[in-house]
Amino acid sequence: MCLGIPGRIVKIDDVTKKLATVEVSGIKRQVNIACIVSDEHPVASCVGDWVLVHVGFAMSRIDEAEVAQTMKILTELGEAQAEIEAMRLSGLR
Amino acid sequence: MKYVDEFRDAEKAKSLIHEIRLLAKSIPIAKERPIAIMEVCGGHTHSIFRYGLEGMLPKEIELVHGPGCPVCVLPMGRVDDCVSVAKRPEVIFTTFGDAMRVPGSKGSLLQAKADGADVRMVYSPMDALALAKKNPDREVVFFAIGFETTVPSTALTVLQAKADGIRNFSLFCNHITIVPTIKAILDSPDLQLDGFLGPGHVSMVIGTRPYEFVSTYYKRPMVVAGFEPLDVLQSIWMVLKQIQEGRAEIENQYARIVPEDGNSPALAAVSEVYELREFFEWRGLGSIDHSGLKVREKYAEFDAELKFKMPNIKIADPKSCQCGEVLKGVIKPWQCKVFGSACTPETPLGALMVSSEGACAAYYQYGGVKKYEAAS
Ligand code: SF4
């Protein structure tokens, strides 16, 4: 829950509500991107960005070069599997 | 447990461990007692155990595992409140998976679910809001727990619920904040700490400035740390370096994720929706002033504590539990009388056994400390 998981923004769903689709290890899920947008980074410009997703909210941008290592550590900690499974289940509802 | 050779940069890890040894030996107090460094965050605790980092450190250093696992510090009475709300027929009670197994005095949420309560695990508070939209004739309650890392997510969900005019959604707010907790630990007479590893993802939200009291007032060094093994080792090295040089500063090892000023949209949402409680009860630690958050009156319609009658009874932890002493680092998990016997991850008595971020579960899972001579 606290470690989050890296995902890539693939599509903007709602500019006003700041909702976007993020892909995490092949699972797509809608997340809120309000915390990573600003005047320099408007909603529309976020497609392709790598972000750290915590409980459905993108909380930080993350360097693409970091992503693989972060995933490896999360997998070793058992966190990645749990997060991905929770995301997958929430998508099925 | 992993070995240094498998780390991202094994050479760097080895040389860090070597440097840490040299530094630790050069610090005078280490001749009398170990240098005590507390990792505040449960994510660090998990990483330290998973990678066997404790066993790679010289005996001059003792890692004290702090209270930074939100499910571990949830008092029994709050879990009882959850169960009582979840049992109402009109309620769909939603929670993160981690919180399902935390024992209350009348069982956990998982047991309530087995008894017929409509308890559902969600990945995100947004999923709870979606459930409310889908079930207009039910009351959807979300069990909001966590430190500052998750607080923005529930605040933004409340703002969304308000904007969408949703009336059957509310939060049972049990959010806690890290700064008063660190202060309480520093004021605790049982504990002598020489420095801190600061939480990484809490700091991503609040920044590094709120910790300045640790260095200016308490004269202790703190290094905000990432959770990869190399991050943790490097941060320990940075804490030691400060001690050796007689400095007490707030340093940021995790600057790739943690901005000094935190995340302003997140902080704005948090202060819009929440205010500090006068005090909040922690499992094992007792009451800590200003350590909890509650929903502001402006958003009272989304406050489950106002919407439903909660028993709100303070329940003492079982006598055999020594969670408080473990949380404060006074004893090690394996020194608790029920560790591994009456209390295991399958049948947890205390919450530190529930989550992999809890020190007891981590010790249990990874077999405690094995000394591993990394340099050899
Ligand atoms: S072993 Fe169980 S009861 Fe003892 S401190 Fe750990 S969680 Fe608490």
Side-chain angles (χ1 to χ4, degrees):
Chain A
M1 179 171 80
C2 300
L3 295 183
I5 194 159
R8 185 174 217 161
I9 299 179
V10 292
K11 179 162 91 57
I12 302 301
D13 299 331
D14 189 324
V15 175
T16 336
K17 289 186 176 175
K18 301 182 176 134
L19 298 174
T21 299
V22 160
E23 190 172 331
V24 175
S25 286
I27 307 261
K28 288 204 174 100
R29 123 126 233 171
Q30 190 174 70
V31 304
N32 181 307
I33 58 168
C35 294
I36 57 141
V37 296
S38 60
D39 292 343
E40 301 92 74
H41 272 295
V43 175
S45 75
C46 292
V47 172
D49 289 0
W50 283 94
V51 289
L52 209 48
V53 181
H54 290 257
V55 299
F57 291 74
M59 295 303 297
S60 171
R61 282 198 175 69
I62 170 169
D63 201 348
E64 187 169 355
E66 284 275 320
V67 170
Q69 177 64 13
T70 304
M71 278 309 281
K72 176 169 175 278
I73 302 277
L74 288 170
T75 306
E76 287 173 354
L77 289 173
E79 300 273 339
Q81 302 86 320
E83 290 276 312
I84 291 166
E85 182 61 7
M87 274 187 184
R88 195 183 63 79
L89 288 174
S90 71
L92 296 177
R93 208 172 339 246
Chain B
M1 167 142 140
K2 305 268 295 180
Y3 296 99
V4 177
D5 295 327
E6 298 167 50
F7 287 4
R8 159 154 57 166
D9 187 340
E11 284 317 309
K12 184 151 181 227
K14 283 181 188 166
S15 83
L16 266 171
I17 292 165
H18 181 68
E19 291 287 324
I20 286 172
R21 289 196 182 166
L22 293 180
L23 257 181
K25 287 206 195 323
S26 73
I27 295 172
I29 47 160
K31 301 218 164 33
E32 289 148 42
R33 57 166 179 82
I35 302 161
I37 301 174
M38 175 180 271
E39 89 274 8
V40 177
C41 161
H44 288 148
T45 306
H46 191 179
S47 187
I48 285 165
F49 284 109
R50 175 69 181 83
Y51 294 100
L53 299 182
E54 222 173 9
M56 296 173 193
L57 298 176
K59 62 175 188 332
E60 285 87 357
I61 297 172
E62 183 189 353
L63 294 179
V64 180
H65 315 298
C69 154
V71 303
C72 301
V73 294
L74 212 59
M76 283 211 157
R78 301 297 277 190
V79 180
D80 290 353
D81 289 345
C82 287
V83 169
S84 97
V85 173
K87 283 192 168 156
R88 298 172 72 109
E90 77 276 26
V91 165
I92 300 176
F93 195 90
T94 55
T95 172
F96 293 135
D98 316 32
M100 290 283 273
R101 292 189 311 122
V102 184
S105 76
K106 297 180 185 71
S108 63
L109 279 166
L110 195 64
Q111 279 155 325
K113 184 180 169 74
D115 294 343
D118 194 347
V119 179
R120 303 191 198 179
M121 217 175 87
V122 291
Y123 162 69
S124 165
M126 292 230 289
D127 299 340
L129 184 59
L131 267 175
K133 288 179 188 167
K134 231 176 175 174
N135 298 275
D137 51 333
R138 304 283 299 278
E139 276 293 335
V140 175
V141 180
F142 179 70
F143 184 27
I145 59 165
F147 283 98
E148 284 90 338
T149 318
T150 48
V151 179
S153 69
T154 60
L156 285 162
T157 304
V158 165
L159 294 175
Q160 192 61 59
K162 177 117 184 164
D164 293 348
I166 306 293
R167 313 207 58 102
N168 62 329
F169 172 79
S170 58
L171 289 181
F172 180 32
C173 179
N174 286 271
H175 283 306
I176 42 184
T177 75
I178 201 75
V179 164
T181 314
I182 295 176
K183 189 172 175 309
I185 288 168
L186 280 162
D187 286 333
S188 160
D190 309 342
L191 258 187
Q192 164 82 45
L193 293 172
D194 300 297
F196 290 91
L197 300 186
H201 289 155
V202 162
S203 310
M204 159 187 85
V205 173
I206 68 174
T208 56
R209 292 190 207 282
Y211 306 118
E212 267 161 19
F213 73 99
V214 175
S215 59
T216 53
Y217 186 74
Y218 290 93
K219 308 277 182 252
R220 297 288 196 286
M222 177 186 262
V223 175
V224 172
F227 59 86
E228 292 180 24
L230 274 181
D231 290 331
V232 175
L233 288 175
Q234 188 175 23
S235 301
I236 291 171
W237 180 86
M238 289 166 79
V239 169
L240 290 174
K241 192 81 187 148
Q242 287 200 42
I243 296 175
Q244 189 211 32
E245 292 173 0
R247 288 181 294 127
E249 290 163 18
I250 309 303
E251 293 179 317
N252 187 0
Q253 185 274 339
Y254 199 31
R256 61 187 193 269
I257 293 288
V258 174
E260 216 173 309
D261 293 320
N263 183 312
S264 56
L267 290 171
V270 170
S271 68
E272 171 67 20
V273 174
Y274 296 115
E275 62 188 352
L276 286 178
R277 291 177 197 261
E278 230 163 281
F279 56 85
F280 194 74
E281 189 71 27
W282 293 55
R283 186 183 294 235
L285 295 177
S287 176
I288 302 179
D289 286 354
H290 308 300
S291 64
L293 296 178
K294 67 174 186 207
V295 177
R296 281 188 195 275
E297 212 178 292
K298 189 173 166 194
Y299 297 96
E301 59 189 298
F302 302 106
D303 187 350
E305 276 178 277
L306 299 175
K307 216 168 194 179
F308 305 98
K309 264 222 101 28
M310 306 229 178
N312 211 331
I313 299 168
K314 207 175 135 177
I315 311 266
D317 290 330
K319 281 243 169 341
S320 50
C321 282
Q322 291 180 278
C323 303
E325 285 152 280
V326 173
L327 272 174
K328 282 190 281 189
V330 180
I331 63 167
K332 295 286 172 195
W334 46 267
Q335 290 171 317
C336 171
K337 288 187 286 294
V338 290
F339 176 83
S341 52
C343 187
T344 64
E346 287 70 45
T347 53
L349 275 185
L352 288 172
M353 220 15 133
V354 173
S355 153
S356 49
E357 296 183 4
C360 294
Y363 252 88
Y364 190 91
Q365 193 180 353
Y366 301 118
V369 188
K370 289 204 189 76
K371 285 278 166 197
Y372 172 65
E373 293 295 324
S376 64

